Amino acid sequence: MTCAALLTVACGADDPDPPVLTVTARAARLAPVGTSTPGVVPTATGSPASAVHTPATPTASGMPEPPPTPTVTPPTAPTPEPLRAGETAQVVRVIDGDTLVVRMDGTEHTVRLLGIDAPELGDANGQAELADQAGAALAALAGDGAVTLIAGDEPLDDGGRLLRHVVRSEQIFSVELARQGFVRAHEYTPNTPLYGAIADAQHEARDAARGIWAPPIPGLAMVVDKVAETVVIANDGGASVDLSGWRLVSLRGPQAVQFPAGTVLQPGATLTVGSGSSQGDIAFGQRYVWHNERSDSAELRRPDGRVALFWDDPVAG
């Protein structure tokens, strides 16, 4: 029986005791990010100058003169942009894990912290409690004292909020929240200074399973094909993984699909989640889910909202 057939049996809305969906079919292995797609011929870019044939030029003696040796300049790593001079503000209150209100010159301003994204208050996809914890973590950092606000190249968002790094006593709030595991690193172009430090702090939190990050499951992997509107979850580990009640979430939407009770991914098996016209073992209810021109990362969340797998979209913005 195919995965799709098994799923159809397990998802019957009128069946009070749905049978177990055990995904055992082996599909194509997940290709590492950056590998070529079958049927697509890669286009060479950045070829070295020595790969271009230059005809030899005859000399007065009749012997061809060898072409000049090309000079290849190795690329240099970009220099991190230094932080700009900051503004002093007084913290008034915290709204959520990445937003607070400050007072400057007698006027209150809403500040959106740069480089991070916290779970949303009232999240319907399992992270409401984690959102409260993220807000409490920011409140503990902010207190009610003075902070320094540091702007990037884009000082305001579309809603008029100040886009700032918030610092006190050389402690950068975004980096510390990421280290505690309460937020995700998010690169908001062109406000990219400190993103590397935030991403490093996030990796530390994920490795330690802090905050929103669940302990990793050996062999479990996920790849999103935004153009094809498919997500493939693979189990290359040695034990089955019970995905009952787990949610796959598109962070930009946020659209989500919850896996039915009895969804079990056996060792060596893959599970495909489709949307739009894409066929899969499980389907989103929406026609279009993944944004092709802007960043749209994906999370596979346990029933308690903690993130078991995270697919970081390489498209920035």
Side-chain angles (χ1 to χ4, degrees):
M1 185 180 292
T2 66
C3 299
L6 284 169
L7 180 70
T8 302
V9 173
C11 294
D14 299 326
D15 189 348
D17 297 306
V20 171
L21 164 60
T22 304
V23 183
T24 56
R26 175 179 292 275
R29 314 313 304 152
L30 290 182
V33 175
T35 57
S36 59
T37 303
V40 178
V41 179
T43 301
T45 59
S47 300
S50 57
V52 180
H53 175 68
T54 304
T57 303
T59 63
S61 64
M63 296 297 294
E65 182 178 331
T69 302
T71 301
V72 179
T73 303
T76 57
T79 302
E81 181 181 339
L83 291 178
R84 302 177 179 181
E87 312 154 287
T88 300
Q90 190 78 15
V91 175
V92 176
R93 63 183 178 277
V94 168
I95 296 177
D96 56 27
D98 53 31
T99 314
L100 48 76
V101 176
V102 300
R103 181 179 292 108
M104 289 190 297
D105 300 325
T107 303
E108 291 190 359
H109 302 269
T110 301
V111 178
R112 177 64 166 81
L113 275 65
L114 288 172
I116 60 172
D117 185 32
E120 300 296 330
L121 294 176
D123 180 83
N125 295 312
Q127 289 195 334
E129 183 176 345
L130 292 169
D132 292 339
Q133 294 175 17
L138 178 55
L141 288 174
D144 57 1
V147 295
T148 301
L149 308 181
I150 302 173
D153 289 338
E154 189 175 70
L156 299 173
D157 68 5
D158 293 340
R161 298 181 299 180
L162 304 183
L163 300 176
R164 299 290 191 273
H165 283 295
V166 183
V167 183
R168 173 186 287 140
S169 301
E170 299 185 357
Q171 185 177 57
I172 303 166
F173 288 6
S174 296
V175 175
E176 182 58 27
L177 289 169
R179 181 175 290 109
Q180 293 180 20
F182 290 113
V183 299
R184 314 167 190 88
H186 191 101
E187 188 173 12
Y188 293 95
T189 306
N191 294 319
T192 56
L194 295 181
Y195 175 74
I198 297 169
D200 288 345
Q202 174 184 276
H203 291 155
E204 177 186 324
R206 288 176 65 182
D207 290 343
R210 299 177 192 143
I212 68 173
W213 307 109
I217 297 177
L220 197 65
M222 175 173 66
V223 171
V224 179
D225 186 331
K226 298 198 300 181
V227 176
E229 289 275 336
T230 58
V231 180
V232 177
I233 302 168
N235 181 8
D236 284 330
S240 61
V241 180
D242 187 352
L243 301 176
S244 301
W246 291 35
R247 293 178 175 91
L248 175 63
V249 182
S250 159
L251 293 184
R252 179 162 289 277
Q255 302 96 330
V257 60
Q258 186 170 4
F259 297 164
T263 304
V264 178
L265 193 60
Q266 296 292 345
T270 60
L271 176 70
T272 300
V273 183
S275 50
S277 60
S278 299
Q279 300 298 313
D281 304 304
I282 295 176
F284 278 92
Q286 296 87 350
R287 182 177 180 185
Y288 299 110
V289 172
W290 306 102
H291 201 299
N292 292 335
E293 297 178 357
R294 300 187 67 185
S295 176
D296 194 356
S297 298
E299 289 182 347
L300 183 62
R301 299 177 182 172
R302 292 174 177 266
D304 63 0
R306 299 179 74 192
V307 180
L309 284 180
F310 181 75
W311 181 79
D312 192 7
D313 190 354
V315 178

